[in-house]
Amino acid sequence: MPDFTEQTRRKFLLCGASAAGGLAAASDFSFAQQFSPTPECKDGHEPTQRQSDGPFYKPRSPQRADLREPGSAGRAMELSGLVLTRSCKPIAGALVDLWHADEKGDYDNSGFRYRGHQFTDTQGRYTFRTIMPAVYTGRTRHFHVKVQAPNQPVLTTQLYFPDEPQNRRDGMFRRELLMRMAKREGDPAAHFDFVLDLA
Ligand code: FE
């Protein structure tokens, strides 16, 4: 197993190539390698772009990592990543609140289907299990998310899927907010590292 030196670890963080659990553990090295290098590598110090939260945000979502619903026809997927400062330090205990459309493109506005929040672990990691949100009229496929370090301002933004035909037609779409999809067997695994505007 390769030894993860501090320099290597930092390079991975700057390049956004650290996979879920890819911080210091050598055993995660091969998984991290499955993500292709991102063109935004040099922008590792830039905070994640903000976007509107849209009309369907609901506060007080349940704390949970698994948003899947029994019997859902939606394709299961994983969304994971890190919450980092501009200097690429992992932020422990950061809130990550996720909400998205269901397999028909509808939001649950009476309950909390496909809504949930969690807090990053000591290494700044978060992982959700959920389904691929369906595309709804006027938008490309996306997640909504709010991220907040303890006692700091909230970052509200949206995440996008690569290779979606609607990306080019959705005025909200930003390349900088594309998730990286892991090429591995089974359910899709998306990865996104949030960079908060903190030193
Ligand atoms: Fe939406």
Side-chain angles (χ1 to χ4, degrees):
M1 281 293 180
D3 186 28
F4 245 53
T5 63
E6 178 61 22
Q7 189 180 16
T8 307
R9 187 185 76 92
R10 189 167 172 78
K11 190 169 155 191
F12 261 64
L13 287 174
L14 284 170
C15 293
S18 53
L23 259 179
S27 61
D28 292 324
F29 187 73
S30 60
F31 183 57
Q33 283 184 315
Q34 294 174 28
F35 293 99
S36 58
T38 59
E40 290 75 29
C41 187
K42 63 185 186 307
D43 297 329
H45 293 81
E46 293 298 314
T48 301
Q49 283 191 22
R50 298 177 177 278
Q51 292 211 297
S52 70
D53 53 8
F56 302 120
Y57 171 67
K58 279 182 73 172
R60 292 179 290 281
S61 69
Q63 182 175 350
R64 56 182 176 174
D66 193 343
L67 308 189
R68 291 173 297 175
E69 296 282 329
S72 170
R75 182 166 188 196
M77 64 168 288
E78 184 181 284
L79 168 63
S80 66
L82 299 163
V83 179
L84 303 166
T85 66
R86 277 186 281 106
S87 52
C88 299
K89 293 194 193 85
I91 302 174
L95 170 76
V96 183
D97 193 358
L98 175 70
W99 74 102
H100 63 83
D102 65 13
E103 61 270 37
K104 294 178 180 160
D106 297 322
Y107 287 86
D108 182 6
N109 296 309
S110 55
F112 288 94
R113 287 172 60 245
Y114 303 115
R115 298 174 186 270
H117 74 270
Q118 62 182 263
F119 296 92
T120 53
D121 67 11
T122 54
Q123 294 182 307
R125 299 178 295 199
Y126 71 92
T127 303
F128 285 101
R129 296 284 304 171
T130 189
I131 61 161
M132 299 270 289
V135 174
Y136 58 89
T137 305
R139 294 301 317 275
T140 189
R141 199 183 310 276
H142 63 282
F143 286 128
H144 293 269
V145 66
K146 288 180 183 280
V147 183
Q148 182 182 29
N151 304 312
Q152 296 295 328
V154 176
L155 166 76
T156 300
T157 193
Q158 301 184 26
L159 302 180
Y160 298 95
F161 292 74
D163 305 322
E164 286 286 331
Q166 295 290 337
N167 283 350
R168 70 186 69 173
R169 291 190 278 274
D170 185 339
M172 295 284 293
F173 172 76
R174 295 289 179 275
R175 290 192 58 81
E176 295 81 0
L177 297 172
L178 274 174
M179 298 176 287
R180 293 193 308 285
M181 306 301 288
K183 293 184 180 68
R184 62 179 185 183
E185 291 182 12
D187 298 328
H191 186 89
F192 192 87
D193 294 340
F194 297 97
V195 179
L196 301 184
D197 195 7
L198 302 168

